Amino acid sequence: MLETTVNFLNALLWGKLLVYGLVGAGLYFTLRLAFIQITYFKHSLKVMSKSRQGCDHGLSSFQVFCTSMASRVGAGNMAGVAVAIGAGGPGAVFWMWLIAMLGMATAMIESTLAQVYKTRDQDGQFRGGPAYYMERGLGQRWMGVLFSIFLIIAFGLVFNAVQANTITNAMEVVFNISPLYMGIFLVITSAFVIVGGLRKVAKVSEVIVPVMALAYIFIAFVVVITNIEKLPDVFMMIFNSAFGWQEATAGGVAYTVAQAMQAGIARGLFSNEAGMGSAANVAASASPNPNHPASQGLVQMMGVFSDTIVICTATAAIILLSGDVSAGGGGIKMTIAAMTGHIGGWGGGYVAIAILLFCFTSIIANYSYAETNVLFLAGNRKAVLPLFRVCVLGMVMFGAVAKISLVWNLADVSMGLMATVNIIALLLLSGLAVRVINDYRDQVRAGKIPQFDRSKFPELNGQVEEDIWQDLSASSQTKNT
């Protein structure tokens, strides 16, 4: 009965409501922001180049970028892309690209709002995210409570069990390491990081994420270079399959346009997380440079681009250049089969190590998201964190040794409900977000270094902490007197 209910809710949420909701929101925000993901792409790279600076009271934007990428970049970037191609053909890759471009605008909106409504915890560290802008911006704490509960269940507990399960399965198959021993190793290493809180998670992510991402992209680049003569055919295959211009693809498998769209959009949304409200939790923790909420929105916008357009495309290239989209039977097996075909017998070991790094960083980043929401529920009292950390580590150990297919489905439901609440809040607060982003763009066009002046947004009085975003007009008056 429980499994039937869970499957029904997943089919409703991920088969219809969320796909339409997230795609619709992405298109709406893209139009309202005048295609900012294209017009401000070069400027976003400039902001990224300075993202290590400006961290006096919080994390640097680069640390926050790496932490959000640690959560985004996981097994889904290897297995998820393969699932999309297996279900919808090569055309699914095109729809993953499209949904990432729309998702960049959504990420811009939610991360900007997270910055506007951020607060400080007992240690002076910035905290924020959807729960905070629901309570402060909409005046609806009950929405924030619902969001926090759904996120803690999905990201704090169940997804970490799933990530641990993915690691132990890969290490057992490739290196014959016992799940029990691997589970103990994961618990110890995870504990070492998460007991240090958000700052420790950010510092570890800042080191591991660039290394693992660049190493994976390098292998994909080598594969592309060694198969460069096949590249035009691969692009033709993607576009022809996406629009139904060819009935059969490599391996003789026929796909429809609807299959390609559904598989690509669903896996793309699942991978880049734009609109779900997860990455916004850590986006609020940054001290952005320039000191304006929209600058962090630009950084997080690049996170969606990096996840899907860069890393997921790397996996797609590895699979499609192998010449048979049905190899390995789908999922991670397809990626391993393709990698082995390109680089030899050590391909399986390389994928296993990549999974270990990708999924481990997902565990610690997922914890950081949940930590912020635990503090929201507890009124920023950190005394509750030790017990929560024990629960997280317990779920890591459970996931390492258990069969968790039903638990994974439960997490999907929880994340779907979390995303639904967040989309509603984003739409209700989008007017303010667009005005804040336009204020940033106006200052850039005027040749100024953008600064956020709270006096331009009187509706924020009483909603945001005065010592975080200052009234610059009042400051200038004080200096003049």
Side-chain angles (χ1 to χ4, degrees):
M1 179 63 182
L2 176 60
E3 188 170 0
T4 302
T5 304
V6 168
N7 290 337
F8 169 77
L9 288 173
N10 270 330
L12 178 64
L13 287 168
W14 291 104
K16 299 184 183 299
L17 293 180
L18 278 176
V19 170
Y20 294 129
L22 289 169
V23 172
L27 181 58
Y28 174 67
F29 296 141
T30 294
L31 294 174
R32 288 207 65 181
L33 294 174
F35 295 88
I36 193 170
Q37 60 270 65
I38 298 172
T39 58
Y40 267 64
F41 185 83
K42 184 178 179 180
H43 182 78
S44 298
L45 294 176
K46 182 180 178 181
V47 173
M48 279 290 298
S49 70
K50 300 178 179 179
S51 61
R52 288 181 179 271
Q53 305 169 15
C55 50
D56 295 336
H57 303 294
L59 305 176
S60 71
S61 288
F62 184 74
Q63 287 178 314
V64 166
F65 172 81
C66 289
T67 304
S68 64
M69 286 298 291
S71 177
R72 284 189 176 109
V73 180
N77 293 79
M78 291 178 284
V81 174
V83 168
I85 293 173
V93 177
F94 171 83
W95 297 107
M96 288 183 71
W97 291 338
L98 181 62
I99 198 59
M101 293 303 295
L102 296 178
M104 289 170 72
T106 306
M108 180 80 196
I109 292 285
E110 65 181 354
S111 295
T112 298
L113 287 173
Q115 274 285 315
V116 168
Y117 291 103
K118 66 185 179 183
T119 184
R120 280 194 175 94
D121 63 19
Q122 292 175 338
D123 299 328
Q125 172 65 54
F126 290 136
R127 298 278 179 178
Y132 293 79
Y133 57 66
M134 289 169 192
E135 179 184 43
R136 291 167 173 257
L138 295 176
Q140 305 295 328
R141 179 172 172 80
W142 67 269
M143 285 183 71
V145 169
L146 270 183
F147 177 89
S148 294
I149 292 171
F150 292 143
L151 184 140
I152 290 167
I153 292 172
F155 282 81
L157 301 174
V158 184
F159 281 175
N160 283 340
V162 173
Q163 299 288 356
N165 190 261
T166 303
I167 292 172
T168 55
N169 285 342
M171 301 306 282
E172 183 179 26
V173 169
V174 177
F175 299 114
N176 199 30
I177 298 176
S178 166
L180 176 62
Y181 295 144
M182 198 66 214
I184 294 172
F185 171 77
L186 288 175
V187 168
I188 293 172
T189 51
S190 298
F192 175 74
V193 177
I194 68 176
V195 294
L198 184 56
R199 284 191 176 276
K200 188 66 170 286
V201 171
K203 287 180 180 179
V204 172
S205 299
E206 185 180 19
V207 173
I208 297 179
V209 170
V211 173
M212 73 178 190
L214 290 174
Y216 191 65
I217 293 167
F218 174 76
I219 289 293
F221 179 75
V222 171
V223 169
V224 169
I225 292 299
T226 55
N227 294 273
I228 193 70
E229 73 284 354
K230 299 179 183 178
L231 203 57
D233 291 336
V234 166
F235 277 107
M236 287 298 296
M237 187 192 307
I238 289 172
F239 288 106
N240 287 341
S241 175
F243 298 102
W245 293 334
Q246 72 180 44
E247 295 181 356
T249 60
V253 182
Y255 300 94
T256 66
V257 176
Q259 280 179 296
M261 287 182 66
Q262 184 174 359
I265 289 172
R267 298 316 306 178
L269 290 171
F270 202 84
S271 177
N272 63 53
E273 300 181 17
M276 293 184 188
S278 48
N281 289 277
V282 72
S285 301
S287 288
N289 181 34
N291 192 33
H292 194 289
S295 68
Q296 188 59 37
L298 292 169
V299 170
Q300 292 304 108
M301 191 171 76
M302 294 306 297
V304 175
F305 179 87
S306 301
D307 171 83
T308 306
I309 306 298
V310 178
I311 298 177
C312 286
T313 300
T315 299
I318 291 168
I319 293 171
L320 295 177
L321 286 169
S322 70
D324 188 355
V325 299
S326 62
I332 194 64
K333 292 180 181 179
M334 181 189 291
T335 307
I336 291 175
M339 186 74 83
T340 302
H342 287 301
I343 63 178
W346 62 278
Y350 179 85
V351 173
I353 296 299
I355 286 175
L356 173 62
L357 291 175
F358 282 19
C359 293
F360 173 73
T361 54
S362 289
I363 289 172
I364 61 174
N366 289 348
Y367 164 79
S368 72
Y369 292 174
E371 180 185 272
T372 290
N373 285 273
V374 167
L375 290 176
F376 173 81
L377 295 176
N380 275 337
R381 291 187 295 272
K382 290 198 168 185
V384 302
L385 290 181
L387 177 60
F388 177 64
R389 288 167 181 163
V390 170
C391 293
V392 171
L393 296 173
M395 287 298 289
V396 169
M397 190 67 215
F398 168 75
V401 298
K403 301 295 181 183
I404 53 175
S405 58
L406 177 60
V407 180
W408 170 253
N409 290 335
L410 283 168
D412 282 350
V413 170
S414 183
M415 184 170 66
L417 294 171
M418 176 188 90
T420 301
V421 175
N422 186 54
I423 291 172
I424 294 170
L426 290 180
L427 292 172
L428 292 173
L429 290 169
S430 61
L432 171 68
V434 171
R435 287 172 52 221
V436 170
I437 293 166
N438 286 339
D439 173 67
Y440 180 94
R441 292 194 288 197
D442 289 343
Q443 293 184 60
V444 170
R445 284 192 287 262
K448 301 177 181 178
I449 297 176
Q451 277 191 295
F452 187 64
D453 183 354
R454 186 169 49 82
S455 66
K456 295 180 181 178
F457 305 91
E459 66 268 42
L460 295 179
N461 292 334
Q463 293 184 351
V464 299
E465 296 181 10
E466 295 184 3
D467 62 334
I468 294 178
W469 299 117
Q470 296 183 356
D471 183 336
L472 297 182
S473 64
S475 299
S476 62
Q477 289 174 6
T478 301
K479 289 180 182 179
N480 292 333
T481 57

